[in-house]
């Protein structure tokens, strides 16, 4: 049984003060830690301050992106080592907004995954099809290609450190959620693909998160699906009361 994961991707939202206020309120809402892996992904500028606010608590800190190089002349970029130093234990890689708005290729995403693993960051590796691809019946082929290229050259031991997020592009920020059945179908496909390639244990232990218009209202029916182990939430993760409801679904 994979421990449920509730992750909030704040995207380009919250000042440092707002982020710290959220973190403190989340932390103090629990007298005993929830039986969930709880992850928040603030913008880069708030990482250090949030790390301070959650130190010693159940909350895990994620970054939303990293650069694949160790260091060097990459103006505006941030390395895995810097994220570790700032207190992150996870990093989101291959989000559809990075793929589409910042032209990140599968090959680039693969290099980012390897860079994250090298410094001990757990990647939350995102995959998902567009509306046109779904309508053209290409969902499984698209996901398979993203998995194959994104995970190129990784070992079963690497896979043990990765979380995968299925985020259909058409469901992100649109209020249109995949039905629990639609999401489950793709999650099962991902798990079976991983099991075939890396062994049954890798498949069974893999946490696969669903993302795309998850709210406190629809999370329970999504999480009731056998292959949905968590949620990667954007909009509904920004308000601390809403996030607490998501954690306690
Ligand atoms: P929304 O929950 O706002 O649809 O965003 C999903 C997402 O992109 C999380 O990474």
């Amino acid at each position: 049984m994979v421990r449920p994961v509730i992750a909030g991707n704040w995207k380009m939202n919250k000042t440092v003060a707002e982020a710290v206020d959220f973190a403190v309120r989340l932390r103090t809402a629990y007298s005993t830690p929830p039986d969930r892996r709880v992850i928040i992904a603030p913008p880069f500028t708030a990482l250090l301050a949030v790390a301070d606010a959650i130190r010693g608590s159940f909350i895990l800190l994620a970054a939303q992106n990293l650069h694949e190089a160790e260091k060097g002349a990459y103006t505006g970029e941030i390395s895995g080592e810097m994220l570790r130093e700032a207190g992150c234990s996870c990093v989101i890689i291959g989000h559809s907004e990075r793929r589409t708005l910042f032209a990140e290729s599968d090959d680039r995403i693969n290099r980012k995954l390897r860079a994250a693993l090298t410094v001990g960051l757990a990647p939350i590796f995102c995959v998902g099809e567009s509306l046109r691809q779904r309508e053209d019946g290409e969902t499984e082929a698209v996901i398979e290609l993203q998995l194959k290229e994104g995970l190129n050259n990784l070992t079963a031991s690497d896979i043990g450190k990765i979380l995968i997020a299925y985020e259909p592009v058409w469901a992100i920020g649109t209020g249109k959620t995949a039905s629990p059945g639609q999401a489950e179908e793709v999650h099962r496909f991902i798990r079976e693909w991983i099991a075939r390639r890396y062994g049954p244990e890798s498949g069974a232990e893999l946490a696969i998160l669903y993302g795309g218009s998850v709210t406190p209202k629809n999370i329970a029916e999504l999480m009731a699906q056998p292959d949905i182990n968590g949620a990667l939430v954007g909009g509904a993760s920004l308000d601390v009361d809403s996030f607490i409801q998501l954690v306690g679904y």
Side-chain angles (χ1 to χ4, degrees), residues 9 11 92 95 97 167 171-174 211-214 232-236:
N9 173 11
K11 308 190 180 181
I92 298 171
H95 192 281
E97 286 150 19
E167 298 205 318
I172 296 177
T174 58
S213 299
V214 176
L232 179 57
V233 188

Side-chain angles (χ1 to χ4, degrees), residues 145-163:
L145 190 67
Q146 290 174 343
L147 291 172
K148 201 166 143 226
E149 309 263 300
L151 301 175
N152 189 27
N153 280 326
L154 299 193
T155 62
S157 149
D158 293 329
I159 299 299
K161 298 173 187 125
I162 288 179
L163 299 88

Side-chain angles (χ1 to χ4, degrees), residues 158-218:
D158 293 329
I159 299 299
K161 298 173 187 125
I162 288 179
L163 299 88
I164 293 184
Y166 168 56
E167 298 205 318
V169 179
W170 49 273
I172 296 177
T174 58
K176 270 191 219 157
T177 329
S179 70
Q182 279 174 323
E184 168 60 18
E185 216 176 346
V186 179
H187 280 233
R188 190 178 342 107
F189 174 78
I190 294 171
R191 193 178 308 285
E192 285 172 357
W193 192 89
I194 293 286
R196 271 200 307 280
R197 199 160 168 123
Y198 299 95
E201 226 174 89
S202 296
E205 289 170 4
L206 177 70
I208 310 177
L209 283 56
Y210 170 78
S213 299
V214 176
T215 65
K217 278 210 174 78
N218 61 24

Side-chain angles (χ1 to χ4, degrees), residues 27-42:
R27 176 179 191 159
T28 50
Y30 298 87
S31 48
T32 52
D35 183 24
R36 310 266 141 97
R37 254 161 109 182
V38 178
I39 305 173
I40 50 178

